[in-house]
Amino acid sequence: MTKKSIPFFNYPAIYIKNEQEYINIFKDVCSRGAFIDQKDLADFEKNLAEYVDCKYAIGVADGTSGLILALRAKGLNQGDEVIFASHTMVATASSIYYSGGIPVAVDCRDDRLIDPEDILRKITPRTRGIVPTQLNGRTCNMDEINKIATDHKLFIIEDAAQALGSKFKGKSAGTFGSAGMISFYPAKTLGCFGDGGAVFTNDDEMFRQMKLIRDHGRDPATGKVLRFGLNSRLDNLQAAILNFKLKTYPQDLERRRSIARTYQAMLGDLDQLLLPPGPDVDENHYDIYQNYEIEAERRDELKSYLAENGIGTIIQWGGSAVHQFEGLGFKCKLPRTEKFFKGALMLPMNTTLSDDDVEYIGNCVKTFYK
Ligand SMILES: *Cc1c(COP(=O)(O)O)cnc(C)c1O
């Protein structure tokens, strides 16, 4: 095998692939002076809502503020608890915190998603809602979570930052609860050229409140301030770029799934690895593989071995679940999540990888364990 060089993520390659189109978009938007809240944003919001089959999509400055908008629209009171899975980005918990709630961490199951049984154990009279993370591009079994939410009168707001286009039983991530957030951070499956995000909702009142909060609480018709809000607008230029990228997004997802299929075929029978669920094993799930996160024996050695062979890998969230960051003051033990982080490693997964690249990565992993 000749040595290759495969970075974990290749940002310039994403731009170069369609450079001329991006230049045209830049010229078009800028020559119209269309920078804030213009047609490109409205078009993108409409297309995005259609894509996930949801009544409303609202472009926001970034995913984190999207979650804050949704939680603020719900109106948390002091002492309200909101449950989240600790295997997530800290943004899930900090959004709860910055919306006035108390984030309550729960464990994950073998598919790395929030554990419904642990949710039940952590519910108290102060629990108001659940923020499940649709992690790595896989949507939770929302039947189980919806049932808990209904039984205990809790709201659901999804952190679907990693899951645009992912589905459970044919329904898109981000459209199950009162609202759902996605992120357009550049490394996300639909990435923009900076920060960006969106929130979805089917609820007219949630839509109204989130739109108000996005723009300082101002009524767009009169300019009157109706409530306290923030500036959390998605730039019109980013919206125009995202609108262009959305056109080929379904193909991008199929490419990711085909890479996952190859990893599954090459590595599926190694006892030392626990792979994510394969793309064809459960028809209830349409996974989009934002990340290909494995649980590996001798993880650190594997990571070094792959680096020596030119392959970039990443340990998600710096190797810690949210409750393990001491500065945040969580005082719980979550055994499955903690065990998971000892072996967690993300292999390259993006649309700039060639078939040869994927095979090379698979072969290197196999050689390591031989
Ligand atoms: C990326 C991400 C976020 C934050 O999104 P930003 O757009 O960077 O604010 C939140 N939660 C999860 C699970 C993420 O992966």
Side-chain angles (χ1 to χ4, degrees), residues 214-231:
R214 175 178 77 169
D215 187 37
H216 302 289
R218 289 186 293 203
D219 183 337
T222 65
K224 275 218 172 79
V225 175
L226 304 181
R227 59 168 292 162
F228 279 115
L230 301 163
N231 175 3

Side-chain angles (χ1 to χ4, degrees), residues 61-65 67 88-89 91-92 133-135 159 161-162 181-185 188 195-197 316-317:
D62 53 76
T64 307
S65 55
L67 264 189
T88 187
M89 195 194 174
T92 320
T133 296
Q134 316 295 20
L135 191 76
D159 181 340
Q162 301 193 347
M181 167 278 269
I182 52 170
S183 165
F184 305 125
Y185 183 84
K188 298 285 174 17
D195 276 311
Q316 201 162 209
W317 331 122

Side-chain angles (χ1 to χ4, degrees), residues 108 128 139 141 181 196 287-288 320 332 361:
C108 62
R128 280 282 309 282
T139 307
N141 180 329
M181 167 278 269
D287 297 352
I288 64 154
S320 291
C332 56
I361 297 164

Side-chain angles (χ1 to χ4, degrees), residues 8-15 22 61-63 161 182-197 238 241-242 245 249 252 256 290-291 349-352:
F8 181 75
F9 202 86
N10 191 340
Y11 290 107
I14 301 244
Y15 167 72
Y22 295 130
D62 53 76
I182 52 170
S183 165
F184 305 125
Y185 183 84
K188 298 285 174 17
T189 47
L190 184 67
C192 64
F193 295 170
D195 276 311
Q238 297 287 7
I241 290 166
L242 286 162
K245 289 182 107 182
Y249 186 66
D252 290 349
R256 285 175 177 273
Q290 159 68 54
N291 303 305
M349 169 55 83
N350 60 73
T351 54
T352 68

Side-chain angles (χ1 to χ4, degrees), residues 28-40 235-237:
D28 171 43
V29 170
C30 296
S31 61
R32 283 186 278 125
F35 298 119
I36 301 283
D37 205 359
Q38 297 297 307
K39 180 176 173 300
D40 309 84
D235 289 341
N236 195 63
L237 180 60

